[in-house]
């Protein structure tokens, strides 16, 4: 059966972007006559028919996808938003980005607002796995896709990364680099991502034949640079001085790096450092930070695709999907000690 001609085929044939093709269809006033003619010729020649789904999406329904993130100050979520926004635009939709700031009351308020506003769907990075309530939205016919968190029961579609493997990759690398006293910096444990990264870290310690006490936890309430600076100041007070630190995300690692530098502690020679997410600032830090990469842009794209598909599906026929991507260790200077043995 011949493949259905899509909007990307039209764009490629006419030598324009998908957005331009969308504008020729929906907002021809925004496009020059020459470009419009080229695109219209491609549509005719290819026999492109605008998808029924796109038409449905515009038929009297909201064209807004809500994205509720944990921390708008974290570049990781900016990349997720970029991916979601790209897919939304391809479907003639827009994304409203909101910030819960890791505050459950804020999250609850936003979810209630989304129900009142009858948004087309919600992309949600939850504050607390146990307390997030999406039932009201779903009863109102508003689909929810969990972003950066795996759905624990079949309550929603979800797109996440195997954070247990990610934590294991980070600590296995520290151990293989000669570190046998390691600190995990992260929290709160109510965040599934943090719990899973710590689980992976503990697995790596056990797999290496080290005793559980080889890994000490310095818990933080937030996952930002300020919390990292505070944790960094506490590191030297840890019983057995660590030679390696694994932070639950790169912002914490940047804060730890700042504190260690201020105390004259050298990274990696005195303490090796590993973060998580691989945001742009990890590689750009004064000591480029080894990190566990999450495909944030791709997570955003896939989440939006799942949400749009669910918003068009018959609820009786829709089956939730649980997409789990694989993390990747990106080794940089912060964990490559010149001498192999730990101090
Ligand atoms: O904001 C919380 C953290 O969880 C982010 O850095 C990202 O790692 C997400 O998974």
């Amino acid at each position: 059966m011949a493949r259905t001609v899509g909007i990307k085929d039209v764009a490629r044939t006419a030598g324009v972007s998908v957005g331009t093709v969308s504008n020729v269809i929906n907002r021809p006033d925004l496009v020059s006559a020459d470009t419009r003619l080229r695109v219209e010729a491609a549509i005719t020649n290819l026999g492109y028919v605008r998808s029924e789904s796109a038409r449905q999406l515009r038929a009297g329904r909201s064209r807004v996808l809500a994205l509720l993130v944990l921390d708008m100050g974290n570049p990781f979520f900016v990349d997720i938003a970029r991916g979601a926004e790209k897919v939304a635009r391809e479907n003639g939709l827009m994304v409203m980005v909101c910030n819960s700031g890791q505050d459950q009351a804020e999250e609850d308020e936003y979810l209630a607002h989304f129900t009142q506003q009858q948004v087309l769907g919600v992309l949600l990075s939850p504050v607390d796995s146990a307390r997030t309530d999406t039932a009201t939205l779903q009863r109102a016919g508003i689909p929810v896709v969990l972003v950066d968190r795996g759905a624990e029961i079949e309550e929603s579609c979800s797109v996440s990364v195997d954070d247990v493997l990610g934590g294991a990759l980070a600590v296995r690398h520290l151990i293989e680099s000669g570190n046998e006293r390691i600190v995990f910096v992260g929290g709160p444990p109510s965040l599934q991502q943090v719990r899973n990264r710590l689980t992976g870290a503990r697995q790596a310690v056990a797999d290496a034949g080290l005793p559980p006490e080889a890994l000490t936890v310095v818990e933080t309430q937030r996952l930002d640079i300020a919390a990292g600076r505070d944790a960094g100041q506490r590191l030297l007070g840890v019983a057995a001085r660590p030679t390696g630190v694994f932070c639950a995300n790169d912002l914490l690692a940047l804060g730890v790096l700042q504190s260690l530098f201020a105390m004259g502690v050298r990274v990696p020679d005195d303490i090796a450092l590993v973060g998580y997410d691989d945001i742009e600032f990890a590689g750009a830090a004064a000591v480029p930070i080894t990190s566990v990469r999450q495909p944030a842009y791709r997570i955003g794209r896939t989440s939006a695709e799942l949400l749009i598909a669910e918003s068009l599906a018959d609820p009786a026929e829709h089956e939730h999907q649980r997409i789990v991507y694989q993390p990747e260790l990106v080794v940089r200077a912060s964990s490559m000690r010149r001498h192999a043995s730990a101090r």
Side-chain angles (χ1 to χ4, degrees), residues 69-72 74-77 80 102 125-126 147-149 161 163 187-188 191-194 197 222-224 248-252 276-279 292 294 299:
V69 301
L70 279 170
D71 176 7
M72 192 91 85
N74 184 341
F76 169 78
F77 291 107
I80 284 187
Q102 280 186 245
S125 187
V147 179
D148 187 47
R149 177 163 87 70
V161 167
D163 283 322
L191 269 177
Q192 183 195 74
Q193 299 93 317
V194 174
R197 291 166 200 174
R222 299 193 59 76
L223 287 154
D224 55 22
N249 77 1
D250 289 336
L251 296 184
L252 287 171
Y276 205 103
D277 293 339
D278 197 28
I279 61 174
V292 179
Q294 294 202 73
I299 292 171

